[in-house]
Amino acid sequence: MKNIYYSIISSGLVGAKSSDPNSYRITAYIIVSILSSLNLFTINMWLNALGICDMMNIVAVDIIRKKSLLSGQFHGVLNYGIISLIVNYFIFYFRNNYKLILKKHPQKNGKLLMYYTVVTLLLMILTAIILRWLRSMGIVEELTYMQPLWVLKLF
């Protein structure tokens, strides 16, 4: 599994380097971090739907309304995005790992990252559709969240 993920990262680095040779590392880092946070969110949704664990809620954001779109976006970035950024920092930049990844997992073009992006987005959309359908049938209940460690009150 690690080799597949490193091949995806290598593909992203090669694809980003061909279009932007100066800042290809940060571009690939951000794209892979966003995709891995979406994957983490999708896995957490399925685990919550199956009753295995509650949704991750390390930092709760209280904006005007609890169920607002802005509140959900802050929640996603703070709970899933930050974790993904930290993990991928160590994969990419710690001791210049991106050089080793490019050397050990060579890619001819950046197509593997594109396939990974499409599969990630399709799985997330299918998860949302299936869970909404299962909720409407009464098989799965609404998402439950764990108690937050910190609560940010913006307004």
Side-chain angles (χ1 to χ4, degrees):
M1 194 64 131
K2 182 173 81 170
N3 290 333
I4 294 170
Y5 194 64
Y6 283 166
S7 295
I8 291 168
I9 290 172
S10 177
S11 171
L13 287 167
V14 168
K17 192 173 191 176
S18 68
S19 64
D20 186 14
N22 294 329
S23 61
Y24 70 96
R25 293 180 304 252
I26 191 73
T27 304
Y29 167 69
I30 290 171
I31 291 171
V32 170
S33 294
I34 289 170
L35 292 174
S36 62
S37 67
L38 291 175
N39 285 332
L40 181 63
F41 179 67
T42 303
I43 291 169
N44 203 350
M45 282 178 58
W46 276 109
L47 291 175
N48 184 270
L50 296 173
I52 297 173
C53 68
D54 290 339
M55 292 293 286
M56 189 168 31
N57 195 18
I58 297 169
V59 179
V61 180
D62 283 342
I63 301 183
I64 297 169
R65 292 189 329 243
K66 190 84 169 165
K67 298 276 185 176
S68 69
L69 181 62
L70 187 61
S71 177
Q73 289 173 347
F74 276 122
H75 177 268
V77 167
L78 291 175
N79 288 299
Y80 298 103
I82 300 297
I83 291 171
S84 177
L85 286 171
I86 291 170
V87 168
N88 283 311
Y89 169 80
F90 285 105
I91 292 173
F92 271 81
Y93 294 115
F94 188 70
R95 297 184 183 162
N96 290 326
N97 281 341
Y98 70 93
K99 292 178 184 175
L100 294 172
I101 291 171
L102 283 171
K103 199 179 293 183
K104 289 184 179 179
H105 304 281
Q107 296 289 316
K108 292 186 168 108
N109 53 23
K111 299 281 185 193
L112 192 58
L113 182 66
M114 294 304 284
Y115 297 144
Y116 179 64
T117 303
V118 169
V119 168
T120 296
L121 294 175
L122 283 176
L123 284 175
M124 190 167 178
I125 291 168
L126 285 173
T127 296
I129 291 169
I130 291 170
L131 290 181
R132 181 167 290 232
W133 177 64
L134 290 174
R135 273 191 210 107
S136 70
M137 292 179 57
I139 297 172
V140 175
E141 296 180 15
E142 288 293 321
L143 298 176
T144 57
Y145 292 90
M146 62 185 249
Q147 291 295 323
L149 299 176
W150 297 294
V151 176
L152 296 176
K153 294 188 179 193
L154 298 178
F155 298 107

